[in-house]
Amino acid sequence: MNKFLEAVANVFRVQDLRNRVLFTLGLLAVYRLGAHVPTPGINAEAFRRFVESNQGTLFNFIDLFSGGMFKQLTIFALGIMPYITASIILQLLTVVVPTLEKLQKEGEIGRRKITQWTRYLTVILALFQSAAIAGTLENHAPDS
């Protein structure tokens, strides 16, 4: 236990590690806050009943991957799904697209470039998925 406390104290002594830990804690705080802020203009209770009444559908699958935030329809309801999807797409494209394969073999610089493209693709997928979910809900959700 004493070594653990000493290791934690050392993390906060090194400025680079301290900055990374504080940045990560800040991101977690923002994410947790967004996980509790409801989407404006939505009757949360009616939506929760709608999702629960449609057991075994796409809505429950999305709710599973969003950690239950989809049922609550928070502003971060998509969770990590767009990033995971973007990562999988780029990994599959690495086998097919020679440019990506070359980048992957370049080492650290290539991996950084692929990571950057993954982030861009994540934003595009998040916009697409959120628009698709909003459109689907508009057509199928109850009016209350």
Side-chain angles (χ1 to χ4, degrees), residues 66-98:
S66 68
M69 286 187 286
F70 184 72
K71 191 183 304 180
Q72 298 172 8
L73 207 61
T74 63
I75 61 173
F76 290 167
L78 287 177
I80 196 168
M81 282 181 17
Y83 181 77
I84 292 172
T85 306
S87 296
I88 291 170
I89 288 171
L90 278 174
Q91 283 180 355
L92 292 174
L93 285 177
T94 302
V95 177
V96 178
V97 179

Side-chain angles (χ1 to χ4, degrees), residues 111-132:
R111 283 192 299 270
R112 284 186 183 175
K113 193 70 167 172
I114 291 173
T115 300
Q116 183 181 21
W117 290 355
T118 302
R119 290 178 183 146
Y120 292 145
L121 184 58
T122 298
V123 172
I124 293 167
L125 286 174
L127 291 172
F128 175 75
Q129 287 178 352
S130 61

Side-chain angles (χ1 to χ4, degrees), residues 50-68:
F50 170 72
V51 172
E52 288 176 355
S53 69
N54 288 299
Q55 293 290 331
T57 63
L58 177 67
F59 297 118
N60 284 89
F61 185 70
I62 293 170
D63 190 49
L64 174 73
F65 280 102
S66 68

Side-chain angles (χ1 to χ4, degrees), residues 96-110:
V96 178
V97 179
T99 306
L100 288 173
E101 186 176 5
K102 182 180 171 187
L103 271 176
Q104 188 179 32
K105 291 179 180 178
E106 284 183 10
E108 184 64 28
I109 294 171

